[in-house]
Amino acid sequence: MRVLGIETSCDETGIALYDSELGLLADLLYSQIDLHQAYGGVVPELASRDHIRRCLPMIDQIMTQTNTDKAQIDAIAYTEGPGLIGALLVGASIAKSLALAWGVPAIGVHHMEGHLQATQMTSAPPEYPFVALLVSGGHTQLMACDEPGRYELLGESVDDAAGEAFDKVAKMLGLGYPGGPEVAKLALEGDPSRFTFPRPMTQKPGLNFSFSGLKTHTMNTLNALEDPNHSDRADIARAFEDAAVDTIAIKCGRALEQTGFTTLVVAGGVSANTRLRATLAKLSARQVININYPELKYCTDNGAMIAIAGLLRQAQWQSHDHTIVARPRWPMTELPAVSL
Ligand code: KG4
Ligand code: ZN
């Protein structure tokens, strides 16, 4: 089975061709970072317009470069949600139109299931059951997954998502967008003993997160310094990163203990964070035996993960509904289980 994957939920146009036998045939990514950089964050209208510009030429390019004829495509998977409505509608419209023209099904994929499925492109994909930590620009969630496609929410952020907190702290520190990698880079120069920031909601039981207070604490620390220099900012970046990462790791340990599962799957843009990976590696063997991450390149948004999630949901391929649907908000717990 060969699936064309289309990702347009935010600021990256991702197009990929994935074959169930041969694996990933090709993937193309166009990042809009330069477009949004001047605004310090994603401008939704600009994002939609750019997806419209890029999508079809990229699809044409991937078909040509892999010598693929439209007759070889069995399905088109696209991100149905969650994400920016205008950006989602671009991918949905193109996917549904091509599907109608080519006589194949168009499969609406959940973006976060895509992030999780990116682990299929590793040498040892995770085995069920597992706890999923989903950490991106829009999500911070812990899910229990005991069978493919079924997700039980264990906890989530009551305010900012982890990636969003990184992005906002980056802005405070005068760094570029997206902020996560920039904060992580600056934190490498920071002194970890200078400031200790709070680990929010770790004193109370439960698996929810809150990053808004940590963000304010970061801002207050910065404002309390007179004319902060580069090394002050690096120390703050380090204190913030340590606090965010520790908090996430503590909750992951708890989720594993609560479920009794011993596999943790970490996905979404923040899973690229080196300090998060190092801290999770220190969870005790009693708590976690396997930790799976996508390859670094596939931690952030891409078309390959959408194609693979489309393959996972093969049971829904019979549907030839041509209505164009996008779901900016879409709880993952609403997804039906898939029988493999
Ligand atoms: O999954 P993703 O590419 O897009 C969404 O679905 O949101 O995640 C993007 C988020 C951004 O907030 C970005 O700052 C964060 O992931 N991110 C990181 C790192 N790389 C990306 N955060 C911390 N450390 C990183 N190395
Ligand atoms: Zn994402």
Side-chain angles (χ1 to χ4, degrees):
M1 291 293 170
R2 197 166 285 194
V3 179
L4 173 68
I6 304 176
E7 156 62 33
T8 66
S9 68
C10 190
D11 58 350
E12 245 125 23
T13 313
I15 305 292
L17 266 181
Y18 193 89
D19 187 288
S20 53
E21 304 293 318
L22 306 171
L24 184 63
L25 302 179
D27 75 314
L28 300 176
L29 191 71
Y30 183 84
S31 166
Q32 302 177 354
I33 287 179
D34 292 345
L35 183 66
H36 303 293
Q37 186 75 257
Y39 304 94
V42 181
V43 182
E45 182 58 27
L46 293 182
S48 316
R49 291 182 197 191
D50 205 56
H51 286 306
I52 289 193
R53 259 195 299 272
R54 309 284 166 199
C55 254
L56 281 175
M58 286 170 73
I59 292 171
D60 193 33
Q61 185 186 338
I62 211 165
M63 299 289 281
T64 309
Q65 120 187 9
T66 55
N67 231 341
T68 305
D69 184 81
K70 58 183 190 300
Q72 293 171 276
I73 303 289
D74 298 292
I76 302 173
Y78 65 97
T79 308
E80 185 172 317
L84 302 171
I85 181 73
L88 290 169
L89 280 170
V90 174
S93 309
I94 287 176
K96 291 271 179 165
S97 307
L98 278 180
L100 179 63
W102 293 353
V104 295
I107 316 300
V109 164
H110 192 291
H111 181 79
M112 299 313 291
E113 182 164 79
H115 273 301
L116 265 182
Q117 288 299 311
T119 51
Q120 292 299 318
M121 288 182 286
T122 56
S123 51
E127 287 180 16
Y128 294 89
F130 56 75
V131 167
L133 167 69
L134 302 167
V135 269
S136 68
H139 287 75
T140 304
Q141 291 182 321
L142 279 164
M143 297 278 186
C145 309
D146 49 12
E147 58 177 309
R150 228 175 65 101
Y151 308 97
E152 185 201 334
L153 183 68
L154 300 172
E156 64 183 335
S157 177
V158 296
D159 40 55
D160 293 357
E164 191 181 356
F166 268 94
D167 293 339
K168 287 178 178 167
V169 165
K171 221 171 177 176
M172 285 175 212
L173 296 172
L175 302 171
Y177 169 86
E182 301 272 328
V183 170
K185 196 164 144 222
L186 183 60
L188 289 174
E189 299 173 46
D191 170 4
S193 60
R194 173 144 172 226
F195 303 110
T196 304
F197 286 5
R199 274 62 175 154
M201 296 181 82
T202 53
Q203 305 302 331
K204 292 191 272 181
L207 295 172
N208 282 342
F209 302 85
S210 164
F211 290 107
S212 146
L214 176 59
K215 197 182 60 191
T216 309
H217 187 95
T218 308
M219 177 66 114
N220 292 343
T221 308
L222 184 67
N223 289 344
L225 296 174
E226 221 174 283
D227 201 13
N229 61 20
H230 180 82
S231 116
D232 292 328
R233 282 195 291 272
D235 294 344
I236 289 176
R238 177 65 195 259
F240 165 78
E241 187 181 40
D242 279 350
V245 158
D246 269 0
T247 305
I248 294 171
I250 291 167
K251 299 281 173 168
C252 285
R254 270 188 207 168
L256 289 159
E257 268 172 20
Q258 184 177 311
T259 53
F261 299 168
T262 51
T263 297
L264 177 67
V265 182
V266 189
V270 185
S271 67
N273 186 279
T274 310
R275 207 173 302 281
L276 175 66
R277 291 183 177 216
T279 310
L280 288 173
K282 287 188 220 141
L283 283 175
S284 71
R286 180 174 55 85
Q287 286 170 307
V288 63
I289 292 169
N290 304 301
I291 307 188
N292 297 72
Y293 299 93
E295 240 182 80
L296 271 185
K297 163 171 185 210
Y298 297 111
C299 282
T300 42
D301 294 349
N302 62 85
M305 68 185 202
I306 301 305
I308 300 173
L311 258 175
L312 174 77
R313 298 220 165 247
Q314 252 185 63
Q316 292 159 30
W317 285 17
Q318 299 88 343
S319 152
H320 280 260
D321 180 353
H322 301 305
T323 320
I324 293 169
V325 185
R327 302 189 205 213
R329 291 183 199 288
W330 186 9
M332 212 175 166
T333 46
E334 286 179 6
L335 293 174
V338 281
S339 41
L340 295 181

